[in-house]
Amino acid sequence: MRGTLEKFFASPYLTVFLMFYCVFLIFIATIAQLEIGVAKASSVYFESFFAITEIQGVPFFIIGGASVGVLAVVNIFFSLFKYVRFGVVGIGNSIIHCSLVLLILSGGLQYFMRVEGRVSIREGESTKNLFVRKNAVEHVQQLPFSIKLLNFTKENWEGSDIPKSFSSKVVFVRGNSNTECLIEMNSPASFEGWTFYQTSYADNGKVSVLTVVKNPARMLPWLAVIATFAGMIGVFVARILGRKKL
Amino acid sequence: MRFHKNILIISLFLAIVVVLSPLLSSQIFGDKIFDSVFEKSLSSLPVLRAGRIMPISSASADTLKSASGKVSAKPFGKKISSTKWLWLLNAQASKMGELPMLRTDNRELQKFLKSNGRYVSYDSVVANYDAIYNSAVSQDGSAYASACTQLLNGALAYGLAVNALCIKYPEVENVSEFIGRWQKAVSDAEKELKESASKKRAPNDEKLIVASSYLSYLRSLSEYEKQNNDVVIKAVVSNEGFETVSDALLDRKASSQTQELVSVYAEIADLIAKGDFRGVESPMLKAFDIFEKSGKIDFFRVRLENFFNAVNPFFAGLILYAIAFLLFVLSSLKGRALACFGMVFFAVAVVVNVLAIIARVYIQMRPPVTNFYSSVVFTGATAALVGFVVYLKRQSLLSAISATFVGVLSLLVAVNLPYSGDTMGMMRAVLNSNFWLSAHVMTIMIGYCGLFLAGFMASFRLVANAFSKGNFGFETAKTADSVYLLLCGCLLFTFTGTMLGGIWADMSWGRFWGWDPKENGALMIVLWTAATIHCRVLRVCNDRMFLVLTSLGNVVVAWAWFGVNLMGVGLHSYGFINSGWGWFIIFIILQILVAPFGFLVYKGDNIISKK
C-alpha cells in the first residue's frame, strides 16, 4: 500500500498531468472572468479545492487550484527523494523545486493572512475607514490610526491629458504622533505594517484613492522567486560549463 | 559553406536597394518642399501631439492612419505623403471634405453612407452624424456599432486636423486675410468699448458684431480641441510651450513670436491653396527660424524621427525577411547556394530591424518595449538575431527558416496593427518606470520570442518529416535536442520575467499576483514550457511528441500575448486592441494542424504511415 502511494505521488505522469491541467484550469478561469469578473473567478477556480462549473451550460466537476497546489507540493516532495542527486546540478534542481514549494505555500498563507482594502480621502480631511472586499462581499474595517490627506497632485505629460504620475502627501496620526509621508505611483509608503499605494483619484483630484494592504507573508514570494532563479542559474551554468561543445 | 563572392555582392546590393526604396521614392518622386528629409521641409516642422514633440510627418501620419487606415493618401488620383495631405487639408478644407478619405470596412455602414468602396467622405459623415452617433453609443455590442465608433474617431481626428496649422473662416477667401480681419475686428471693438465707456454711452453693436462672431467661432473651436487634448495637433510655440492655432489667436497676450508663427503658417497655407509651392520656401524658413529662436526644440531628434518615417524601416525589414525566408526554404529543397543569398538578406534585415529599434529608443528615451506594437517589433528582432547567430554557428537551415519566419510574422503584425494611436506614445502613469519596463517586459519578450522560434522549428521539422525521403528519425532527434536547449533558456526568461512582473505589481499595486488575464497567460506559458521540458527529462514522451508539444506551445504563447489583449479585462488592459480575432483564429488552426504530423513514423522503404 505504502509503496503504491509513494509510486503514485512520485510519478512523473502526475507531475506532467498537474502542469498541463493547470494550463487548462487557468484558461477556463480566464474565460469565466469575462462573465463573473476576476475576483469571483479566482475564488471559484483557484482558491477552492473542488468546484462545479458550467461550460456552455454543461455542468463540469473540476479540481480547484487549492487541490492542485497541495498535490503539487506532495508530488515535488516525493519526487525529490526519487530523483535527487549530488553535485551542482542536483543541488540546483533541489533548490528550484523547494523554492517552488515555498511559492505555493506562500500563496496559501497569503490567502489567510492578507488584508486588502481601499481608502478614499478628500483633501484636508482624514479617515480611519478601510473598505475591504473579500469574496465579493464588502465591509468596512477600522484602521488602528487615522490618515489625513494634505495634498494630491496629478502631473500630465506636457500639453495632454495622459497622466504621467500622481501622488498624495499624507499624515498618519496615532495618538500624539504625526508621521508625514509622500505616496506616489510606483512608490508606496508603509506605516505600522500597513502599506499604502497610490491607485487612482476622484472628483478631479480633490479625492485621493489609495489601496491599503497588510500582508505579513509579503516577502515569502519574493524569497521563493529569487531562490528559484538562483537555482536555475546554477543548473544552467553548470550544464553549459559541463558541455564540451555547444 | 562556400562563399560565392559575386552572389554575395549582388544580393547585398539588392538588399540595400530594398531598404532604401521607400526613402528614395519619397525623396525623388515626392514634393521636395513637403517631404525632403535632408533639407528643411514642411515635414520636419515640429508640433506637439499626445504630449510629445514630433515632426509634422509623424503627426500627420498618425491622424491620416486613424482616419483612413493608411499613412499616405490619393485625394486627386496621385499618391501624396501625409505631410502634404495635412497641409492641403488646412489650405483647402472644403475641397478635401468631399473626397472619400475616411475608411470603414463595415458593409452596412458603407451602404448607409452611399459609398462605392471602403472610403467615405468627411462631409457625408458630418451630414449623417446624428444617425452614426446614435448607433455608436447604442451599446448593443454589434459590429455595426463598433464600426460607427471607429468611423467617428477617424472623423474626429480628421476634423481636428483641419484647423491644426491654420484656421479658415467660412466666408473668408484666404487665411492671412482672416487673421488681418480678426485683428482689425478686435482692435476696432476695443476702441469702441473704450470710447463708449469714456463717453458714458452704450457701445455701438454694429462695431462689435464682427469681432463677436469671429470670437465665438474661435472659442467653440478651442473648446472642441480642449475636449480632445490627446488627439489634437498643437502647432504654435508660445512662452508656455505649444498651443493650438485657435488658442494662439485668442490669446491677447500672445508673444510676437507666436503671432509671427501664426501668420507665417497662414502665408504658407495660402500659397499652397494657390498651388504656388515654390513660394512656400521663404515663409517656411522663417518658421524654422522662429522655432530655433524659441530654444524649446531638440531639432536633431525631430529630424531623426522625420528621417525614420521616410525610411520606413519596419516595412523594408518585412520585405527582406520574406525574401530571406523564401530563399532559405528553396535552399532546403534545391541546394546550399541559395542559402548564401538568403544569408545576406537575413543579415541586412536584422541590422535594419535592430537599428530601427535603437532609433526608436533614442527618440522616445525609453526602453525598447513600451506598448503592444513595440513588443511585437522587439520580439521579431530578437528572434531573428538569435536565429542568425545560431545559423552562423551551426549552419542549421531550420533555425534560419524559423527565425526569418518569426521576423516576417512579427513585422506583418506590426505593420497591420489596427490603429490605436501614436506607436511611440507617452506612457500611462502606472507604466512610467524605465527600470521595471526594461526588467520585466524585455525579459518576458525575449522568452516569448525564443518560444516562438522553438515552436516554429518544431513545426517545420514535423511538417518536413512528411516530405522527407529517408529516415527522418535522426533529424528529428537533432531538432529535439536543439529545441530542448532553447526551451530551457526560454523557461528561465519567461519564469524570471513573469515573477519580476509579480514583484513590480507588489511594489506598485500592493499585490504580487492578481489572476488577471495577462498574468494568467504568462503563467500558462511558464507551465506549458515547464511541462514540455519535464516530459522530455522524465521520459514521459518521445522526440516526436516533444516536438508536437513544443509546437502547440505557440498556441499558448499566441493566446497569452494577443488573445488576452483582445479581451481587455483587468489591470493589464492598457494593451487593448479592437480587432484581429480572425487572424488569431487562423494562426491557431494552422498551428494545431501541425500536431498530426507528429504521428508520422518512418517504416522503411519510403512507406510512411500514421501510427
Side-chain angles (χ1 to χ4, degrees), chain B residues 15 19 308 311-322 344-362 368 373-388 403-412 414-415 449:
Chain B
V19 171
F308 183 91
V311 170
N312 207 351
F314 295 128
F315 183 72
L318 173 62
I319 305 286
L320 290 173
Y321 279 129
V344 175
F345 282 98
F346 191 8
V348 177
V350 170
V351 166
V352 165
N353 206 350
V354 171
L355 281 180
I357 290 177
I358 294 176
R360 280 175 57 96
V361 168
Y362 175 70
Y373 174 89
S374 50
S375 74
V376 172
V377 161
F378 179 77
T379 299
T382 314
L385 195 54
V386 168
F388 185 67
T404 48
F405 188 69
V406 174
V408 168
L409 262 195
S410 64
L411 290 185
L412 201 58
V415 161
C449 83

XYZ file of all heavy atoms in Angstrom, chain B residues 15 19 308 311-322 344-362 368 373-388 403-412 414-415 449:
471
model
N 19.655 44.007 -51.476
C 19.087 44.224 -50.143
C 19.102 45.714 -49.803
O 18.121 46.259 -49.278
C 19.863 43.430 -49.102
N 16.044 48.338 -48.906
C 15.994 49.168 -47.704
C 15.799 50.630 -48.071
O 15.046 51.364 -47.427
C 17.286 49.010 -46.875
C 17.328 50.022 -45.756
C 17.398 47.612 -46.325
N 13.413 58.809 -40.019
C 12.936 57.464 -39.687
C 11.615 57.172 -40.391
O 11.408 56.095 -40.955
C 12.771 57.400 -38.170
C 12.346 56.074 -37.629
C 13.282 55.136 -37.250
C 11.003 55.769 -37.458
C 12.892 53.916 -36.723
C 10.607 54.562 -36.937
C 11.559 53.628 -36.571
N 12.238 56.536 -44.077
C 12.910 55.263 -44.370
C 11.964 54.080 -44.212
O 12.060 53.089 -44.908
C 14.144 55.081 -43.446
C 14.700 53.685 -43.549
C 15.195 56.108 -43.773
N 11.012 54.219 -43.254
C 10.042 53.148 -43.030
C 10.730 51.792 -42.839
O 10.484 50.838 -43.581
C 9.091 53.069 -44.220
C 7.738 52.505 -43.813
O 7.572 52.036 -42.694
N 6.796 52.535 -44.720
N 11.633 51.719 -41.863
C 12.492 50.544 -41.760
C 11.766 49.240 -41.493
O 12.227 48.184 -41.918
C 13.424 50.885 -40.599
C 12.717 51.905 -39.820
C 11.894 52.672 -40.778
N 10.635 49.302 -40.793
C 9.982 48.035 -40.495
C 9.339 47.428 -41.734
O 9.277 46.204 -41.877
C 8.970 48.204 -39.364
C 9.625 48.566 -38.062
C 9.207 49.656 -37.335
C 10.697 47.834 -37.594
C 9.834 49.998 -36.150
C 11.331 48.169 -36.417
C 10.897 49.250 -35.688
N 8.891 48.279 -42.645
C 8.351 47.746 -43.881
C 9.464 47.120 -44.717
O 9.322 46.022 -45.259
C 7.664 48.879 -44.653
C 7.020 48.409 -45.911
C 5.869 47.654 -45.868
C 7.575 48.693 -47.152
C 5.274 47.199 -47.031
C 6.981 48.250 -48.313
C 5.828 47.498 -48.258
N 10.615 47.819 -44.780
C 11.758 47.274 -45.512
C 12.201 45.958 -44.898
O 12.485 44.979 -45.594
C 12.904 48.283 -45.508
N 12.234 45.924 -43.569
C 12.623 44.704 -42.866
C 11.709 43.554 -43.220
O 12.144 42.417 -43.425
N 10.421 43.853 -43.292
C 9.439 42.823 -43.633
C 9.755 42.208 -44.987
O 9.807 40.979 -45.143
C 8.046 43.455 -43.645
C 6.878 42.616 -44.141
C 6.693 41.408 -43.258
C 5.605 43.441 -44.155
N 10.006 43.062 -45.980
C 10.309 42.552 -47.321
C 11.582 41.703 -47.294
O 11.644 40.612 -47.873
C 10.514 43.723 -48.306
C 9.309 44.658 -48.293
C 10.778 43.208 -49.704
C 8.112 44.116 -48.985
N 12.594 42.204 -46.605
C 13.869 41.473 -46.569
C 13.721 40.121 -45.890
O 14.265 39.116 -46.360
C 14.922 42.306 -45.848
C 15.407 43.546 -46.594
C 16.311 44.368 -45.705
C 16.141 43.159 -47.866
N 13.018 40.095 -44.745
C 12.819 38.811 -44.065
C 12.072 37.839 -44.970
O 12.375 36.645 -45.023
C 11.992 39.003 -42.783
C 12.767 39.489 -41.596
C 12.326 40.589 -40.868
C 13.913 38.841 -41.169
C 13.016 41.032 -39.765
C 14.615 39.280 -40.069
C 14.158 40.380 -39.366
O 14.842 40.830 -38.287
N 11.065 38.357 -45.677
C 10.276 37.490 -46.551
C 11.147 36.906 -47.653
O 11.080 35.701 -47.948
C 9.111 38.277 -47.150
N 22.568 36.927 -46.796
C 22.807 38.360 -46.940
C 21.541 39.157 -46.632
O 21.566 40.132 -45.870
C 23.313 38.680 -48.358
C 23.441 40.181 -48.531
C 24.644 38.009 -48.599
N 20.422 38.718 -47.240
C 19.166 39.428 -46.975
C 18.811 39.365 -45.494
O 18.336 40.329 -44.898
C 18.022 38.821 -47.807
C 18.034 39.252 -49.231
C 18.591 38.448 -50.219
C 17.510 40.480 -49.597
C 18.606 38.862 -51.543
C 17.520 40.901 -50.920
C 18.087 40.089 -51.886
N 19.043 38.191 -44.906
C 18.771 37.991 -43.491
C 19.603 38.967 -42.657
O 19.108 39.664 -41.775
C 19.121 36.536 -43.153
C 18.661 36.069 -41.803
C 17.842 36.844 -40.997
C 19.057 34.829 -41.328
C 17.431 36.401 -39.750
C 18.636 34.373 -40.086
C 17.833 35.159 -39.301
N 20.905 39.036 -42.974
C 21.794 39.906 -42.206
C 21.350 41.369 -42.292
O 21.262 42.070 -41.281
C 23.234 39.763 -42.697
N 21.052 41.812 -43.509
C 20.640 43.210 -43.679
C 19.322 43.456 -42.929
O 19.153 44.486 -42.275
C 20.500 43.574 -45.166
C 19.993 45.001 -45.320
C 21.828 43.426 -45.874
N 18.412 42.486 -43.002
C 17.127 42.645 -42.298
C 17.347 42.807 -40.806
O 16.755 43.687 -40.171
C 16.234 41.437 -42.561
N 18.223 41.979 -40.241
C 18.472 42.061 -38.804
C 19.095 43.407 -38.449
O 18.704 44.061 -37.480
C 19.391 40.908 -38.341
C 19.839 41.126 -36.918
C 18.668 39.584 -38.455
N 20.074 43.842 -39.253
C 20.723 45.124 -38.979
C 19.700 46.263 -39.009
O 19.645 47.103 -38.102
C 21.850 45.387 -40.003
C 22.288 46.840 -39.949
C 23.027 44.475 -39.732
N 18.872 46.276 -40.042
C 17.858 47.330 -40.172
C 16.892 47.288 -38.994
O 16.577 48.316 -38.386
C 17.099 47.174 -41.509
C 15.825 47.995 -41.498
C 17.965 47.579 -42.661
N 16.434 46.087 -38.658
C 15.481 45.917 -37.568
C 16.056 46.448 -36.259
O 15.427 47.222 -35.534
C 15.165 44.419 -37.430
C 13.811 44.177 -36.821
O 13.166 45.083 -36.329
N 13.374 42.931 -36.840
N 17.307 46.059 -35.954
C 17.926 46.472 -34.693
C 18.193 47.973 -34.680
O 17.915 48.659 -33.693
C 19.233 45.678 -34.465
C 19.999 46.240 -33.295
C 18.916 44.211 -34.220
N 18.701 48.511 -35.799
C 18.957 49.960 -35.847
C 17.671 50.749 -35.660
O 17.642 51.776 -34.978
C 19.596 50.343 -37.185
C 21.086 50.063 -37.332
C 21.565 50.494 -38.709
C 21.877 50.804 -36.260
N 16.596 50.244 -36.252
C 15.325 50.952 -36.126
C 14.872 50.983 -34.671
O 14.382 51.998 -34.182
C 14.262 50.282 -36.996
N 15.052 49.873 -33.985
C 14.647 49.838 -32.583
C 15.507 50.792 -31.765
O 15.017 51.505 -30.876
C 14.738 48.398 -32.042
C 13.635 47.566 -32.686
C 14.617 48.370 -30.533
C 13.659 46.118 -32.285
N 16.807 50.825 -32.056
C 17.690 51.751 -31.342
C 17.244 53.191 -31.587
O 17.207 54.016 -30.666
C 19.154 51.553 -31.775
C 19.636 50.174 -31.320
C 20.052 52.633 -31.197
C 21.035 49.828 -31.773
N 16.871 53.486 -32.857
C 16.425 54.848 -33.167
C 15.176 55.187 -32.360
O 15.046 56.275 -31.802
C 16.140 54.989 -34.663
N 14.240 54.230 -32.280
C 13.014 54.472 -31.516
C 13.344 54.718 -30.048
O 12.743 55.580 -29.402
C 12.077 53.273 -31.632
C 11.278 53.213 -32.907
C 10.492 51.925 -32.968
N 9.632 51.800 -31.813
C 8.348 52.143 -31.797
N 7.798 52.649 -32.870
N 7.640 51.977 -30.711
N 14.291 53.934 -29.515
C 14.671 54.109 -28.117
C 15.217 55.519 -27.910
O 14.891 56.199 -26.938
C 15.729 53.059 -27.697
C 16.337 53.402 -26.361
C 15.110 51.686 -27.651
N 16.046 55.982 -28.850
C 16.623 57.317 -28.714
C 15.548 58.386 -28.813
O 15.521 59.332 -28.032
C 17.690 57.537 -29.791
C 18.236 58.949 -29.769
C 19.044 59.388 -28.732
C 17.901 59.861 -30.772
C 19.514 60.684 -28.691
C 18.376 61.162 -30.730
C 19.186 61.567 -29.694
O 19.641 62.849 -29.655
N 13.136 49.576 -25.185
C 12.516 49.238 -26.465
C 11.065 48.775 -26.401
O 10.358 48.870 -27.380
C 13.383 48.084 -27.003
C 14.588 48.069 -26.180
C 14.339 48.795 -24.929
N 2.692 47.352 -29.904
C 3.394 47.464 -31.180
C 4.884 47.208 -30.982
O 5.498 46.403 -31.675
C 3.160 48.873 -31.727
C 3.937 49.214 -32.964
C 3.420 48.945 -34.218
C 5.173 49.851 -32.882
C 4.117 49.276 -35.356
C 5.876 50.175 -34.026
C 5.345 49.895 -35.253
O 6.045 50.222 -36.379
N 5.470 47.880 -30.005
C 6.913 47.732 -29.821
C 7.282 46.362 -29.285
O 8.371 45.873 -29.549
C 7.480 48.839 -28.932
O 6.726 48.957 -27.754
N 6.378 45.717 -28.543
C 6.706 44.372 -28.067
C 6.782 43.421 -29.245
O 7.667 42.567 -29.310
C 5.670 43.884 -27.045
O 4.465 43.545 -27.673
N 5.883 43.582 -30.196
C 5.883 42.717 -31.375
C 7.169 42.934 -32.189
O 7.844 41.984 -32.585
C 4.647 43.017 -32.251
C 4.734 42.283 -33.566
C 3.389 42.622 -31.523
N 7.497 44.186 -32.418
C 8.678 44.512 -33.211
C 9.947 43.992 -32.535
O 10.830 43.418 -33.173
C 8.745 46.044 -33.395
C 10.126 46.471 -33.790
C 7.749 46.486 -34.430
N 10.018 44.186 -31.228
C 11.203 43.772 -30.477
C 11.384 42.261 -30.530
O 12.495 41.758 -30.699
C 11.056 44.238 -29.024
C 12.201 43.846 -28.154
C 13.399 44.530 -28.213
C 12.091 42.789 -27.262
C 14.467 44.173 -27.414
C 13.150 42.427 -26.458
C 14.345 43.123 -26.525
N 10.275 41.553 -30.387
C 10.342 40.087 -30.423
C 10.883 39.595 -31.755
O 11.754 38.718 -31.794
C 8.943 39.508 -30.221
O 8.468 39.916 -28.961
C 8.984 38.003 -30.277
N 10.367 40.169 -32.824
C 10.833 39.762 -34.143
C 12.331 39.968 -34.259
O 13.067 39.091 -34.723
N 12.785 41.126 -33.800
C 14.207 41.436 -33.919
C 15.048 40.470 -33.096
O 16.080 39.972 -33.560
C 14.466 42.872 -33.464
N 14.621 40.190 -31.880
C 15.403 39.301 -31.021
C 15.448 37.887 -31.586
O 16.515 37.263 -31.624
C 14.811 39.251 -29.603
O 14.535 40.560 -29.175
C 15.775 38.602 -28.647
N 14.297 37.392 -31.991
C 14.271 36.038 -32.552
C 15.165 35.963 -33.772
O 15.918 35.004 -33.955
C 12.847 35.658 -32.917
N 15.072 37.002 -34.620
C 15.874 36.995 -35.832
C 17.355 37.030 -35.483
O 18.165 36.301 -36.073
C 15.505 38.194 -36.690
N 17.708 37.861 -34.520
C 19.110 37.977 -34.130
C 19.631 36.645 -33.594
O 20.696 36.179 -33.979
C 19.224 39.059 -33.051
C 20.612 39.594 -32.744
C 21.279 40.082 -34.006
C 20.495 40.742 -31.751
N 18.866 36.025 -32.699
C 19.267 34.737 -32.128
C 19.401 33.688 -33.230
O 20.394 32.964 -33.312
C 18.251 34.273 -31.062
C 18.498 32.824 -30.686
C 18.327 35.158 -29.834
N 18.387 33.646 -34.106
C 18.410 32.675 -35.192
C 19.598 32.893 -36.110
O 20.214 31.953 -36.593
N 19.934 34.169 -36.338
C 21.050 34.492 -37.215
C 22.353 33.981 -36.619
O 23.175 33.367 -37.308
C 21.109 36.006 -37.419
C 22.148 36.437 -38.392
C 22.038 36.110 -39.737
C 23.242 37.158 -37.976
C 22.994 36.498 -40.649
C 24.207 37.555 -38.892
C 24.090 37.226 -40.232
N 13.685 31.600 -37.909
C 13.953 32.968 -37.487
C 13.419 33.973 -38.495
O 12.807 34.982 -38.120
C 15.450 33.169 -37.277
N 13.625 33.717 -39.787
C 13.108 34.668 -40.770
C 11.582 34.642 -40.767
O 10.938 35.672 -40.968
C 13.603 34.365 -42.198
O 13.423 32.970 -42.455
C 15.062 34.717 -42.350
N 11.014 33.465 -40.507
C 9.568 33.379 -40.442
C 9.024 34.228 -39.302
O 8.047 34.963 -39.462
C 9.145 31.912 -40.273
C 7.671 31.702 -40.386
C 7.030 31.870 -41.604
C 6.907 31.342 -39.285
C 5.674 31.682 -41.722
C 5.540 31.145 -39.394
C 4.917 31.321 -40.625
N 9.672 34.136 -38.129
C 9.244 34.965 -36.999
C 9.395 36.441 -37.345
O 8.547 37.266 -37.009
C 10.066 34.640 -35.728
C 9.714 35.593 -34.607
C 9.808 33.228 -35.282
N 10.501 36.777 -38.050
C 10.707 38.161 -38.463
C 9.572 38.651 -39.346
O 9.009 39.725 -39.123
N 9.208 37.839 -40.339
C 8.120 38.225 -41.246
C 6.819 38.388 -40.476
O 6.128 39.406 -40.573
C 7.919 37.169 -42.354
C 6.632 37.427 -43.106
C 9.080 37.186 -43.312
N 6.484 37.375 -39.672
C 5.216 37.419 -38.936
C 5.130 38.636 -38.034
O 4.124 39.336 -37.999
C 5.078 36.167 -38.062
C 4.256 35.011 -38.588
C 3.958 34.059 -37.455
C 2.950 35.487 -39.219
N 6.219 38.870 -37.277
C 6.141 39.951 -36.299
C 5.979 41.302 -36.991
O 5.172 42.134 -36.574
C 7.370 39.967 -35.394
O 8.521 40.233 -36.144
N 6.737 41.534 -38.078
C 6.617 42.818 -38.747
C 5.302 42.931 -39.502
O 4.726 44.014 -39.610
C 7.809 43.066 -39.669
C 9.123 43.310 -38.916
C 10.227 43.679 -39.889
C 8.963 44.416 -37.895
N 4.796 41.805 -39.996
C 3.498 41.824 -40.660
C 2.409 42.244 -39.680
O 1.554 43.080 -39.976
C 3.201 40.418 -41.193
C 2.199 40.272 -42.313
C 2.632 41.089 -43.506
C 2.086 38.819 -42.703
N 2.932 43.956 -36.922
C 3.175 45.338 -36.521
C 2.674 46.318 -37.576
O 2.010 47.306 -37.268
C 4.662 45.555 -36.264
N 2.978 46.023 -38.855
C 2.596 46.946 -39.918
C 1.086 47.013 -40.072
O 0.530 48.032 -40.462
C 3.275 46.512 -41.240
C 2.590 47.114 -42.426
C 4.732 46.891 -41.237
N 9.807 35.294 -27.565
C 10.300 35.164 -28.932
C 11.092 33.882 -29.073
O 11.022 33.222 -30.112
C 11.081 36.397 -29.362
S 12.770 36.394 -28.845
